[in-house]
């Protein structure tokens, strides 16, 4: 288990991902006191400006771990009951019997049965998950749209349910985490972003992590290139984007160094208590947005290699950008990777994403980063 960092292997693996088709990516891997940082490719395909390992990046659903940790802090303080009905806190947003049946825990682990709002907010995605019948047009239409979270929540709550409350497998849904943001706001008396900034981000000493105030990423960053399953060609940059479309579920900006610091402290019991961390690591089967069934806890999920220790963390995507952060259970080995391209897989004749060399190259990078 004590694998020292192999810089040559990591450098080769990250370059292979770039060669396979990702314009640019960067990463930080830690093993105890050893740190490797690497980058390959470009932040801008027009100018050739290179990516660097210290760039700030939209990290997508990694935001969910921060939101879940904030809710668990409020559970510890007694202001939120993990198994209390969400209807008790937010009767106007999840009314009636449904609000009584769905608990806070079901929101955090995606077993609420509430539908994903995105196909309703983005008209060209209405046919999702039938990818061949979707299109990227509304991604452009909503570049600067300012959504209110309750508007998006209403779309998810009024859409046909995707399961019964507490039933498994659950179905991954951003609607759940927008509701958690409204819950935090109600019990803390401040905005959820401000609460998470003070009590999670600043508590962890993260200097380059923040919720965006507008459509821009402050500081050095890469452009974010979207392919939408081959339907956007040439690639289009979505780095300037109003992130209210995902809010508390996926809008955070961070760095690979900050992500490793955060997950290291979380797994050491320094962000939430050890008993809350144990709750976060209790998993249930959940169907991901890619249609795979994964084990999902409370804003965390595990990854495990054959004969290797369990890593805990989260992945995330936004239009054009993606990230994955994983930390071994003992906190010693850590990996955070950021990429500036999304949905690179073209669709086959039946509308399913085809394998792409990027998939294998990324998997190989993850293996070297996590297991040596």
């Amino acid at each position: 288990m004590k694998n020292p960092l192999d810089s040559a292997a990591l450098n080769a693996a990250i370059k292979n991902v770039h060669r396979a088709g990702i314009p640019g990516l960067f990463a930080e891997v830690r093993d105890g006191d050893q740190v490797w940082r690497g980058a390959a490719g470009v932040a801008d395909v027009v100018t050739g400006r290179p990516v660097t390992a210290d760039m700030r990046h939209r990290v997508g659903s990694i935001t969910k771990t921060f939101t879940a940790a904030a809710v668990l802090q409020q559970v510890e303080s007694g202001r939120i009951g993990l198994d209390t009905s969400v209807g008790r806190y937010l009767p106007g947003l999840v009314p009636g019997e449904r609000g009584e049946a769905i608990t806070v825990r079901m929101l955090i682990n995606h077993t609420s049965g509430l539908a994903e709002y995105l196909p309703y907010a983005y008209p060209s995605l209405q046919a999702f998950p039938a990818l061949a019948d979707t299109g990227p047009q509304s991604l452009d239409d909503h570049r600067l749209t300012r959504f209110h979270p309750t508007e998006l929540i209403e779309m998810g709550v009024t859409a046909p349910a995707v399961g019964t409350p507490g039933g498994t497998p659950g179905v991954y849904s951003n609607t759940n985490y927008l509701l958690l943001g409204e819950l935090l706001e109600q019990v803390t008396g401040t905005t959820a972003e401000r609460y998470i900034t003070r009590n999670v981000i600043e508590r962890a000493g993260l200097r380059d992590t923040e919720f965006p105030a507008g459509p821009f990423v402050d500081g050095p960053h890469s452009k974010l290139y979207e392919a939408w399953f081959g339907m956007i060609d040439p690639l289009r940059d979505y780095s300037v984007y109003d992130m209210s479309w995902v809010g508390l579920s996926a809008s955070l900006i961070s760095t690979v160094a900050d992500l490793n610091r955060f997950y290291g402290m979380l797994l050491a019991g320094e962000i939430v208590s050890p008993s809350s961390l144990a709750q976060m690591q209790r998993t249930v089967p959940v169907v991901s947005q890619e249609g795979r069934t994964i084990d999902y806890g409370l804003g965390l999920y595990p990854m495990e290699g054959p004969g290797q220790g369990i890593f805990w963390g989260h992945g995330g995507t936004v239009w054009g950008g993606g990230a994955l952060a994983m930390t071994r259970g003992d906190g010693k080995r850590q990996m955070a990777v950021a990429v500036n391209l999304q949905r690179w897989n073209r669709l086959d004749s039946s509308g399913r994403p085809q394998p792409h060399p990027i998939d294998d190259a990324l998997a190989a990078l993850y293996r070297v980063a996590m297991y040596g």
Side-chain angles (χ1 to χ4, degrees), residues 95-271:
E97 291 181 12
R98 206 171 183 196
E100 285 302 310
I102 295 171
T103 65
V104 173
R105 183 192 301 273
M106 292 172 199
L107 295 178
I108 312 177
N109 69 10
H110 298 292
T111 58
S112 69
L114 293 172
E116 174 60 63
Y117 62 80
L118 277 177
Y120 302 92
Y122 283 75
S124 66
L125 307 186
Q126 270 178 1
F128 187 87
L131 296 174
D133 298 326
T134 66
Q137 300 87 347
S138 51
L139 275 61
D140 287 301
D141 297 340
H142 285 317
R143 276 182 187 270
L144 298 177
T145 301
R146 193 76 188 156
F147 289 105
H148 193 278
T150 56
E151 171 188 6
L152 299 172
I153 288 166
E154 186 179 8
M155 294 176 189
V157 170
T158 57
V162 294
T164 56
T168 55
V171 177
Y172 192 95
S173 170
N174 287 298
T175 306
N176 293 315
Y177 276 73
L178 294 192
L179 277 162
L180 292 171
E182 294 302 298
L183 172 61
L184 277 171
E185 189 161 321
Q186 173 144 328
V187 300
T188 63
T190 186
T191 67
E193 289 87 353
R194 195 171 295 134
Y195 177 83
I196 294 170
T197 298
R198 287 178 185 161
N199 296 279
V200 179
I201 294 170
E202 291 176 3
R203 183 168 177 172
L206 309 182
R207 295 181 180 175
D208 290 301
T209 300
E210 66 179 356
F211 288 99
F216 299 96
V217 179
D218 293 331
H221 64 280
S222 171
K223 291 184 178 293
L224 301 177
Y225 295 105
E226 182 62 51
W228 197 260
F229 308 103
M231 297 180 211
I232 301 178
D233 190 9
L235 301 173
R236 200 171 298 149
D237 167 35
Y238 286 100
S239 56
V240 176
Y241 213 94
D242 188 303
M243 297 303 291
S244 59
W245 67 281
V246 280
L248 267 291
S249 68
S251 65
L252 207 62
I253 294 166
S254 191
T255 62
V256 288
D258 268 9
L259 292 179
N260 278 337
R261 179 177 174 85
F262 167 68
Y263 281 104
M265 292 183 70
L266 180 70
L267 290 175
E270 294 175 32
I271 306 296

Side-chain angles (χ1 to χ4, degrees), residues 10 13-15 17-18 22 24-30 36-40 52-53 55 57-60 62 254-260 263 303 314-317 321-327 334-342 344 358 361-370:
L10 286 163
I14 199 168
K15 284 174 184 163
V17 181
H18 170 54
I22 292 281
L25 71 158
F26 44 100
E28 181 188 85
V29 181
R30 291 180 169 267
W36 171 88
R37 293 188 186 98
T52 57
M55 282 183 160
H57 195 71
R58 298 198 191 276
V59 299
I62 288 173
S254 191
T255 62
V256 288
D258 268 9
L259 292 179
N260 278 337
Y263 281 104
M303 285 176 69
H314 213 290
T317 68
L324 178 67
M326 284 284 157
T327 292
Q334 299 188 275
M335 168 196 82
V337 179
V339 300
N340 66 3
L341 173 67
Q342 279 303 302
W344 51 78
I358 290 172
L362 266 179
L365 171 61
Y366 299 155
R367 274 196 303 276
V368 174
M370 292 163 75

Side-chain angles (χ1 to χ4, degrees), residues 1-2 264 267-268 310-312 327-334:
M1 288 297 299
K2 286 291 284 182
L267 290 175
I310 294 179
F311 282 66
W312 292 92
T327 292
R328 201 167 65 202
D330 63 5
K332 296 288 193 296
R333 185 90 177 197
Q334 299 188 275

Side-chain angles (χ1 to χ4, degrees), residues 83-98:
D83 295 303
T84 300
S85 299
V86 69
R88 230 179 98 183
Y89 302 106
L90 303 169
L93 293 179
V94 193
E97 291 181 12
R98 206 171 183 196

Side-chain angles (χ1 to χ4, degrees), residues 280-291:
M280 293 180 81
Q281 293 174 317
R282 277 178 54 187
T283 64
V284 293
V286 168
V287 178
S288 73
Q289 285 183 320
E290 294 75 39

